[in-house]
Amino acid sequence: MTAQLDLDVAIEAGDWSDDEAIAIRGAVEAALVAAAHDGALWDEDDEKSLLDQVMMIEISVTLTDDASVRVLNRDYRGKDAPTNVLSFAALESDDGASEFDMAPDMPLMLGDILIARETCQREAAEQNKPLLHHLIHLSAHGTLHLVGYDHMVDDEAEHMEQLERHILAGMGIDDPYAPIEDQDVETGQ
């Protein structure tokens, strides 16, 4: 990826550390590089990713709490409960990359990611993994959503999960989808 990244990481609520914000920034950057290499937002006309054609990419990451994420999850997804990460992509999908038209000097606005502190802490504890590793995983996961990856069907989910494993391995983090030690793979218990 040749574009510069204008990444705004803002702490809205919750007990977030500077180290976490820095690690999240690194995860977003690594996910964008991997996505470009994987062919995300592929432009058939130019035979390369939009991520490699623009000069600037903009993403906003908001580090917040369960209460804030719960409201957004309810209003936008119809689920009245907090979740670990929400992504709001500015692009409709990655299918129309060849038709995407913008001025050469305009930044490519990819969207917004929100991460809920308490849910992430609880999940990390339940999964017996370091919180920082979980936050990095969710940041990469959210970034991949911004560039068109999804996990609603099995084939897409497997592809997205494999890309996440690759990104995290490059950052020295174990497979986030590996069964938790002493957990039954079938029941999750």
Side-chain angles (χ1 to χ4, degrees), residues 69-83 86 152:
V69 169
R70 178 181 182 173
V71 169
L72 292 169
N73 202 26
R74 180 196 65 214
D75 293 351
Y76 290 96
R77 297 180 65 224
K79 298 180 180 186
D80 192 11
T83 188
L86 288 173
M152 298 305 287

Side-chain angles (χ1 to χ4, degrees), residues 14-79:
D15 185 25
W16 297 90
S17 72
D18 289 340
D19 288 343
E20 290 166 340
I22 290 166
I24 286 167
R25 175 178 291 278
V28 170
E29 291 171 356
L32 287 173
V33 169
H37 182 71
D38 190 56
L41 301 176
W42 191 255
D43 182 343
E44 296 292 335
D45 295 338
D46 291 325
E47 296 186 355
K48 60 183 174 180
S49 171
L50 281 179
L51 301 173
D52 288 322
Q53 295 181 50
V54 297
M55 295 177 62
M56 179 75 67
I57 294 171
E58 290 184 2
I59 295 177
S60 170
V61 177
T62 302
L63 307 178
T64 190
D65 60 10
D66 278 3
S68 296
V69 169
R70 178 181 182 173
V71 169
L72 292 169
N73 202 26
R74 180 196 65 214
D75 293 351
Y76 290 96
R77 297 180 65 224
K79 298 180 180 186

Side-chain angles (χ1 to χ4, degrees), residues 85-126:
V85 63
L86 288 173
S87 297
F88 295 97
L91 301 176
E92 190 73 24
S93 75
D94 67 338
D95 294 335
S98 295
E99 290 82 37
F100 190 74
D101 188 30
M102 61 186 252
D105 60 341
M106 292 289 296
L108 176 60
M109 298 176 70
L110 291 180
D112 304 306
I113 300 169
L114 292 96
I115 303 174
R117 179 73 184 193
E118 298 94 336
T119 295
C120 292
Q121 283 179 303
R122 186 180 63 257
E123 289 174 346
E126 289 169 355

Side-chain angles (χ1 to χ4, degrees), residues 118-183:
E118 298 94 336
T119 295
C120 292
Q121 283 179 303
R122 186 180 63 257
E123 289 174 346
E126 289 169 355
Q127 297 170 21
N128 196 28
K129 63 175 72 168
L131 174 60
L132 188 60
H133 290 188
H134 193 48
L135 294 173
I136 289 169
H137 172 219
L138 294 173
S139 301
H141 181 90
T143 302
L144 292 178
H145 276 307
L146 295 184
V147 294
Y149 291 88
D150 210 343
H151 45 80
M152 298 305 287
V153 296
D154 288 345
D155 290 348
E156 291 176 357
E158 182 55 39
H159 183 78
M160 185 174 180
E161 289 171 9
Q162 193 59 35
L163 190 54
E164 290 173 21
R165 288 181 184 101
H166 171 75
I167 293 163
L168 296 177
M171 300 178 80
I173 297 174
D174 292 335
D175 178 356
Y177 297 105
I180 300 168
E181 197 170 307
D182 297 330
Q183 183 182 62

